[in-house]
Amino acid sequence: MPLIHHCLCRPPYAFFSSKHLLGSSPSTSPTRLGRVWARFLSHTTPPANVEQIGVETDDLAKVRVVKQKMEILGIKCDDFVIPGRYHQLFCPKCKGGQSMVRSLSLHIIQDGSLGMWRCFHTECGWAGQSFADSMAAYNGVTKKVKSFEQMSEESLGLEPLGAKLIAYFGERMISEETLRRNAVMQMSNDKNVIAFTYRRNGQLVGCKYRTIGKKFWQEKGTEKILYGLDDINDVPEIIIVEGELDKLSLEEAGFRNCVSVPGGAPGKVSTKELPSFEKDTAFQFLWNCKENLNKVSRIILATDGDTSGQALAEELARRLGRERCWQVHWPKKDESSCFKDANEVLKCMGPAALKKLIEDAEIYQPHVANHVMSST
């Protein structure tokens, strides 16, 4: 895999940095929570005493479920952990470090429906949530209770690509080898429908379908993650594109450390403050890939060159940290337009030209014009 040159004076940047709404850095201390976490933990006021809690039977059941889910993750919730109060516990991840301090701050809201925690040890920073309803514990990511193990190529009715779709990709300069490695398939009952399989640690967790006529839909129960997630395990630099076809195109240019967002781009950049992660539904796939993104020091944004693609780049940079983002600028196609995306460059200019564009990515600059035009 070709190396992407980068500036050595820019250190690795931690995802969920204290500079961004997605969370606080591992160095955050309890006395420096920041606006987001402070607001996040301010759902209730701690009761004056136990008798004032007033938890009903249903609420007690919620508390029990929340505690059980947290205990699965190693958080020991003894009887003294009651709703409406803040508790300092031993973190099951870092064990409090060498000093073995109670570095895990835990809070269950008054009605018992939600528990949340964060470790303030300088080398840990583990955080998450546990819900009493149909949601599983947030182990620093968002994951609904679904039996992804039951999803398989057979259960989805998938089969290897046939000659027609292989030819379709061939016209777009995507080889059979790349298609096989990325497990691109087709529906067995409609051989004109492409199936992009989404996998985590090799396990099938979702599928996105595309017709030749560019109609898209997802399999019910698909986990919201980046396409090609397993290709960015333990790599310092990654490329993010706007579509599965562009991810395959980057592989033809020699880059496997590439992922695609699972959905479309926003029409414009929002001027509102970034939402807390449980409300950031449009970019939930970033939270669900936190462990992978945390290890990355440099991110090249190679989204589409249109207005929506530039808005997507800005929204990604806002969440991932502009300090570690670079951006690809697609070249002019003619006097009045530029190439739209990676696949168009691959088709018209070839893999060597696409590779050079990635290597020549520039330090990311915010798109101020988009902010001015945005009204939401």
Side-chain angles (χ1 to χ4, degrees), residues 74-89:
I75 301 175
K76 302 299 183 183
C77 300
D78 297 326
D79 292 339
F80 71 84
V81 176
I82 59 176
R85 293 186 175 181
Y86 294 86
H87 303 273
Q88 295 300 121
L89 307 176

Side-chain angles (χ1 to χ4, degrees), residues 294-358:
N294 263 343
K295 304 172 184 177
V296 176
S297 60
R298 185 172 186 249
I299 300 170
I300 295 180
L301 303 176
T303 55
D304 289 2
D306 56 15
T307 302
S308 294
Q310 297 309 302
L312 173 61
E314 175 63 13
E315 292 292 357
L316 289 171
R318 292 172 72 194
R319 290 162 172 81
L320 297 171
R322 294 186 181 95
E323 295 85 350
R324 58 173 179 165
C325 287
W326 270 249
Q327 188 171 28
V328 173
H329 298 283
W330 304 118
K332 291 186 71 69
K333 181 165 52 175
D334 50 46
E335 292 184 358
S336 60
S337 63
C338 295
F339 287 101
K340 178 177 181 290
D341 55 29
N343 185 247
E344 190 173 22
V345 170
L346 177 66
K347 288 190 297 180
C348 299
M349 300 180 68
L354 179 56
K355 176 183 177 182
K356 189 174 189 308
L357 285 169
I358 298 299

Side-chain angles (χ1 to χ4, degrees), residues 152-153 156-162 165 168-169 178-180 182-199 204 206-212 215-219 222 227 244-245 248:
S152 66
E153 296 170 2
L156 298 184
L158 305 182
E159 64 181 18
L161 290 172
L165 291 183
Y168 169 84
F169 280 106
T178 295
L179 294 170
R180 283 194 298 270
N182 288 274
V184 181
M185 308 185 76
Q186 68 183 30
M187 294 183 67
S188 58
N189 60 353
D190 190 340
K191 303 184 187 304
N192 293 317
V193 176
I194 302 164
F196 294 106
T197 57
Y198 279 63
R199 299 171 189 271
L204 184 64
C207 189
K208 181 178 175 181
Y209 303 102
R210 168 181 172 153
T211 65
I212 294 178
K215 179 181 177 182
F216 301 90
W217 70 96
Q218 283 190 340
E219 182 69 30
T222 290
Y227 177 68
E244 292 86 358
L245 190 57
L248 303 178

Side-chain angles (χ1 to χ4, degrees), residues 14-20 23-35 37-38 103 105 118-126:
F15 189 47
F16 295 84
S17 161
S18 59
K19 297 181 181 179
H20 305 93
S24 301
S25 67
S27 61
T28 305
S29 65
T31 58
R32 299 179 61 187
L33 294 176
R35 290 180 299 168
W37 186 250
S103 58
S105 178
R118 180 177 293 277
C119 177
F120 292 103
H121 190 269
T122 56
E123 297 181 358
C124 184
W126 181 51

